[in-house]
Amino acid sequence: MLITCRHPFSLGETPQARLTFRRLGPLTLSGAAELTTSLPAIRLLGDAERDQVWRLTAGHPLAMEYLDLLLARGERYQDLVSRIEAAITARTEIPRTEIPRTQPTELPDATAEQIASAAGDLMSCDLFGRLGTAARSLLIRASVFRVPVTAEALAARPGPIAECEAAGLLTVGPGHELGVHRWTAGALHRRLTLAGQGAQVAEIGR
């Protein structure tokens, strides 16, 4: 049985030795190539740019998808690259001239995670900022739940649901349940906390 999870866990009385944990690191070059050629905006870029996307996102699939969504919404590639590089430098202190040099699979785990997080935070917050008021409110409410919930539980209307889904920030399950990826939720909560709205998020989650 294969289980994907964010943190290691225990199965109660089951001997822990029977569990084997493997960390899923950045996508390999071939894995990134397969993903980027399937994304509608990124696949229009040249080989060098697609390789740069892999490095700027530290091979994180969701960060690559965010980048694709922003390009599809009219963001200029070089402008977006400059902003991502600046965010990575601010988070990691890696000089901008050195960011593209190391392949993500060769980076220390902590560094790869920092780079992916910096890029992901910037882009997910950009996508969030483009939402209408009702869609933003819905996404905030949905983000405090660790598991998908029904639209009725969130008092969510079809329009905001569709807007959040189109932005790549909300998933709609087969039973129409709504969920926000924990990576996305973390970026959103950090943005709201910096904006002085952390208490509001905490109150919604109670």
Side-chain angles (χ1 to χ4, degrees), residues 21-78:
F21 290 97
R22 294 284 186 269
R23 183 184 179 279
L24 295 178
L27 287 175
T28 62
L29 178 59
S30 60
E34 184 175 351
L35 175 60
T36 54
T37 53
S38 73
L39 296 173
I42 291 178
R43 72 184 179 193
L44 299 178
L45 300 174
D47 292 342
E49 286 80 11
R50 288 200 300 272
D51 179 75
Q52 187 178 32
V53 166
W54 174 53
R55 295 167 190 265
L56 285 174
T57 58
H60 196 293
L62 191 54
M64 290 184 182
E65 291 177 14
Y66 287 157
L67 198 152
D68 183 76
L69 286 162
L70 286 170
L71 291 179
R73 283 159 174 72
E75 184 88 18
R76 290 184 66 252
Y77 177 71
Q78 289 302 333

Side-chain angles (χ1 to χ4, degrees), residues 131-180:
L131 297 176
T133 302
R136 290 189 193 185
S137 177
L138 165 61
L139 194 70
I140 292 171
R141 295 198 305 275
S143 71
V144 302
F145 292 91
R146 300 194 67 83
V147 295
V149 294
T150 64
E152 291 76 14
L154 297 172
R157 301 192 306 277
I161 292 173
E163 187 178 353
C164 290
E165 185 181 20
L169 302 175
L170 183 76
T171 58
V172 181
H176 303 290
E177 64 276 9
L178 309 178
V180 178

Side-chain angles (χ1 to χ4, degrees), residues 6 60 62 66 117 120-125 127-128 136 138-148 168-171 178-194 197-198 201-202 204-205:
R6 188 172 179 82
H60 196 293
L62 191 54
Y66 287 157
S117 180
D121 281 8
L122 172 73
M123 293 186 288
S124 61
C125 288
L127 291 165
F128 176 77
R136 290 189 193 185
L138 165 61
L139 194 70
I140 292 171
R141 295 198 305 275
S143 71
V144 302
F145 292 91
R146 300 194 67 83
V147 295
L169 302 175
L170 183 76
T171 58
L178 309 178
V180 178
H181 194 288
R182 298 320 304 165
W183 204 60
T184 305
L188 176 58
H189 295 170
R190 286 189 288 274
R191 170 187 170 131
L192 294 172
T193 298
L194 288 173
Q197 296 177 269
V201 175
I204 294 172

